[in-house]
Amino acid sequence: MSPSSELSLKSFMISFIIFFAVCFGYYFNVLQKTDAHYVYLIDDAYIHLAIAKNFALYDVWGITRYEFSSTSSSPLFTYLLSVLIKIFGNNDQLPLYFNIVFGAGIVYFLNKYFSETFKNVKNTVIAVSFTLFFAVLHLQLLSGMEHIFHIFLFVVNIFCLSNFKNKSAVLGFYFSLLLMGLVRFESMFYFVILAFVFLLIKKWKDAVAVLLIGFIPIAIFCYFNYQHDGYLFPNSVVVKGTKFTFDSNLPHQLKTIILDNFLFNISFYKVGFFPILLCLIFVVRDFKKKSFNEMIKDNFLLIVLSLLMICHSMFAELKAAFRYEAYILTGFSMALIPKVKGLFEGFQHYIKKEKLISALIIMNVFLLIYKFSFAHKVLDNGGKNIYEQQIQSAKFLHTYYNTSKVVANDIGAITYFTDIHLLDIVGLGSKEMIPFTENKKPIDIHFENFLTQYTIHNKYDVAIIYDEWFHGHVPKTWKKAAVLKINNLTTVSKDKVSVYSIDTDNFQQLKQNIKDFNWNKNVQVTIIE
């Protein structure tokens, strides 16, 4: 083994041990609070599992086994889970194992990438560790969601882009693009911006190739989805995404996109502002002393990632758990750390020479600490919250209403662990509700009237909902049977879930079932008399 390979292996092993020691520490912490069975930090993980289970076992791509529903916003991730279920059986820990494998892959490629910048173990380990925790990847791994897979593809893509003269790197670059769009649809922003910056340096073929390879799989999915669902994109994208139409509502839409989502969005300043400022300094410096073409080439990634962060803020979502933007934060670290190589090699000299850049780096370190402390809170109580609210609700439904018709707003665990027929009031699992919820529409009397008539006509039995989400528009025909309350609210939306009888003839039986069920000791059950 060559000295450089030995150094790379050593830095990889140290980085791997640091990252996974943190992950497994939090993993065992969750086990202590969830009766020794790992529970994911958010209910969305069980949405992927429910669809994967139904596709693997019943050949139905849906949140329930009874009909198609375009509920997954990450079709490739969900499909791969279904393959794993087909091979290894139905196991709710499969997303965790999947993430462990691709989490190790992220550490491997980050180590290879930074080993080319730093020729010693210490600096490589610091760079890899900073990147992992700046994007709170331990939180993403333990959430059981698709974001680790997306970040893996993004890291591979940037690694290959940095070695673009190598034929195998070119293949890896385009293959990662091919998969990326079907893991997260926000990748479309990356494709367009990447192509745009390629055009700036007159690389026409690369720009066209990026757009074709990135968008063709998405176009195929959209065609398939439209045939089954009537919408081009998954329900979650339709409901939660920012809609842009050229009509009388255009001024309000522009205000939402530019002011609310971007300039006045506090989450943007927590996540993207300081990395963009750092990028801007390097770009402006080169602009003064280099030709336009040289400036773009030397700051290619900085420009792409800065535009991507702005675009993501305006048209997608910046979440408190940083999961949607984690891939951009990883990219920022990969682009900026080589630019501040001098900080690693001569700390005191660098901070004296580069005071402004050093100040911005310190701000990013403070952001890392803030995000790490936030992640700690989520990791400490997130699984416990889901176990006490969503998992307990699922167990109750499985015991008494396993094949019944149920109305709900959190739909992951209750569909994965049961065989219920579902009406999802948000619209992620039920396209019937999308006209009332798309583009973040507020709940109103039309929603209430439709829900009242629809649940009576289709003979729904039970509703398990957050009252607050209805803003006073819970159907008057429903009768509240109980309220389930948990403590230490962290990753669930509300601490109280209400259980309603929609079929009022079974109201007393519902209350008796709630009394008879063996609820977790931390769930406070209040029967409505």
Side-chain angles (χ1 to χ4, degrees):
M1 184 181 291
S2 66
S4 60
S5 297
E6 191 174 335
L7 287 173
S8 181
L9 178 61
K10 187 175 180 181
S11 59
F12 167 72
M13 291 305 299
I14 295 172
S15 301
F16 180 92
I17 290 168
I18 291 171
F19 180 64
F20 280 97
V22 172
C23 290
F24 283 115
Y26 281 114
Y27 169 81
F28 288 114
N29 178 60
V30 172
L31 293 184
Q32 292 177 356
K33 301 176 180 181
T34 56
D35 292 336
H37 184 81
Y38 185 75
V39 174
Y40 298 110
L41 312 171
I42 51 177
D43 187 60
D44 293 21
Y46 295 99
I47 292 178
H48 292 295
L49 274 167
I51 300 169
K53 177 192 76 172
N54 292 324
F55 193 62
L57 303 182
Y58 309 110
D59 293 324
V60 176
W61 186 269
I63 193 70
T64 69
R65 60 189 286 188
Y66 308 106
E67 62 179 347
F68 176 92
S69 62
S70 187
T71 310
S72 172
S73 59
S74 181
L76 180 58
F77 174 72
T78 306
Y79 172 74
L80 292 175
L81 287 184
S82 74
V83 172
L84 293 176
I85 289 174
K86 200 83 172 175
I87 296 170
F88 299 107
N90 186 19
N91 183 346
D92 66 344
Q93 302 298 290
L94 286 173
L96 180 63
Y97 305 150
F98 184 94
N99 278 357
I100 289 172
V101 171
F102 283 97
I106 291 171
V107 177
Y108 173 78
F109 278 101
L110 285 177
N111 183 73
K112 280 182 70 70
Y113 179 83
F114 287 120
S115 292
E116 295 176 1
T117 300
F118 305 106
K119 303 303 179 184
N120 65 71
V121 171
K122 177 186 172 184
N123 290 342
T124 302
V125 170
I126 292 172
V128 171
S129 299
F130 180 89
T131 303
L132 293 169
F133 295 117
F134 187 65
V136 286
L137 295 194
H138 58 304
L139 174 60
Q140 315 309 335
L141 188 148
L142 291 165
S143 294
M145 297 284 286
E146 73 274 13
H147 304 286
I148 284 291
F149 187 35
H150 188 219
I151 293 161
F152 170 80
L153 293 173
F154 197 67
V155 168
V156 169
N157 188 260
I158 292 177
F159 174 77
C160 292
L161 183 61
S162 69
N163 296 278
F164 210 51
K165 293 179 181 179
N166 184 303
K167 286 186 178 179
S168 60
V170 172
L171 180 64
F173 173 78
Y174 285 115
F175 185 68
S176 57
L177 284 180
L178 185 73
L179 302 180
M180 206 181 293
L182 294 182
V183 179
R184 290 298 307 173
F185 286 97
E186 295 100 320
S187 301
M188 290 188 292
F189 303 141
Y190 180 57
F191 303 153
V192 172
I193 292 167
L194 198 57
F196 170 71
V197 181
F198 270 132
L199 287 175
L200 290 180
I201 53 176
K202 299 179 181 178
K203 290 195 173 184
W204 318 105
K205 290 182 180 178
D206 290 324
V208 172
V210 165
L211 292 175
L212 287 176
I213 292 172
F215 277 98
I216 284 175
I218 295 174
I220 294 170
F221 171 83
C222 288
Y223 174 79
F224 167 82
N225 199 68
Y226 189 80
Q227 300 303 309
H228 288 79
D229 198 53
Y231 295 94
L232 291 174
F233 290 100
N235 298 348
S236 59
V237 177
V238 177
V239 171
K240 298 177 182 179
T242 302
K243 194 173 182 180
F244 196 71
T245 55
F246 294 94
D247 55 21
S248 59
N249 202 33
L250 182 60
H252 176 72
Q253 291 172 355
L254 289 173
K255 180 253 182 188
T256 300
I257 292 167
I258 298 171
L259 298 182
D260 299 344
N261 292 358
F262 177 40
L263 294 177
F264 297 158
N265 184 354
I266 188 66
S267 294
F268 169 73
Y269 295 95
K270 290 180 182 178
V271 174
F273 182 67
F274 291 109
I276 288 176
L277 274 185
L278 268 174
C279 294
L280 188 61
I281 290 171
F282 288 113
V283 171
V284 170
R285 283 182 179 180
D286 280 358
F287 184 76
K288 292 177 179 179
K289 58 187 180 183
K290 295 180 180 178
S291 68
F292 179 78
N293 215 45
E294 286 179 321
M295 183 270 292
I296 298 292
K297 284 182 178 179
D298 291 347
N299 298 280
F300 189 91
L301 264 181
L302 302 184
I303 295 168
V304 168
L305 291 165
S306 297
L307 293 175
L308 180 59
M309 186 75 247
I310 292 168
C311 196
H312 184 98
S313 180
M314 290 195 293
F315 294 102
E317 283 190 292
L318 297 174
K319 282 285 189 179
F322 311 107
R323 66 183 195 265
Y324 295 141
E325 60 273 15
Y327 76 108
I328 308 177
L329 295 177
T330 304
F332 271 129
S333 294
M334 294 179 74
L336 285 166
I337 287 176
K339 290 282 187 180
V340 296
K341 181 180 177 182
L343 181 69
F344 291 75
E345 297 176 342
F347 179 78
Q348 291 184 341
H349 174 73
Y350 190 87
I351 60 173
K352 288 178 183 178
K353 181 184 174 184
E354 297 284 5
K355 292 183 173 61
L356 178 57
I357 290 176
S358 298
L360 289 173
I361 290 171
I362 290 169
M363 292 305 300
N364 281 292
V365 171
F366 280 133
L367 280 177
L368 183 151
I369 295 168
Y370 161 74
K371 286 183 282 190
F372 199 92
S373 63
F374 177 87
H376 170 73
K377 181 181 177 183
V378 173
L379 288 159
D380 192 37
N381 278 309
K384 183 174 183 287
N385 274 188
I386 298 300
Y387 182 68
E388 293 172 359
Q389 192 173 93
Q390 278 74 17
I391 300 294
Q392 294 300 305
S393 297
K395 287 182 175 181
F396 172 75
L397 290 173
H398 180 77
T399 303
Y400 298 105
Y401 301 95
N402 191 49
T403 57
S404 298
K405 294 185 175 182
V406 177
V407 178
N409 47 236
D410 270 357
I411 62 173
I414 65 168
T415 51
Y416 176 68
F417 291 108
T418 73
D419 291 312
I420 61 169
H421 297 258
L422 174 73
L423 180 64
D424 170 21
I425 64 150
V426 180
L428 305 188
S430 304
K431 66 179 182 180
E432 298 89 342
M433 302 305 300
I434 292 179
F436 302 97
T437 59
E438 66 179 329
N439 202 27
K440 304 171 185 176
K441 284 183 184 177
I443 300 297
D444 58 17
I445 189 63
H446 302 293
F447 171 93
E448 181 183 338
N449 291 339
F450 174 82
L451 197 57
T452 301
Q453 295 166 13
Y454 188 89
T455 52
I456 291 173
H457 178 74
N458 290 282
K459 298 180 180 179
Y460 275 77
D461 300 297
V462 178
I464 298 183
I465 59 169
Y466 296 131
D467 284 340
E468 294 89 338
W469 282 23
F470 283 72
H471 301 287
H473 291 289
V474 175
K476 306 297 187 294
T477 55
W478 296 5
K479 295 187 70 175
K480 186 184 289 190
V483 174
L484 315 174
K485 184 178 184 299
I486 66 170
N487 297 316
N488 301 316
L489 180 69
T490 305
T491 57
V492 294
S493 180
K494 306 295 177 184
D495 61 349
K496 294 179 182 176
V497 169
S498 296
V499 185
Y500 285 86
S501 176
I502 300 174
D503 179 1
T504 53
D505 291 340
N506 292 321
F507 177 63
Q508 294 301 327
Q509 184 61 55
L510 173 60
K511 289 205 295 185
Q512 189 59 50
N513 291 340
I514 295 169
K515 291 176 183 177
D516 292 343
F517 184 70
N518 183 27
W519 298 95
N520 179 270
K521 63 181 180 180
N522 295 319
V523 180
Q524 301 167 37
V525 181
T526 303
I527 303 295
I528 308 300
E529 300 296 349

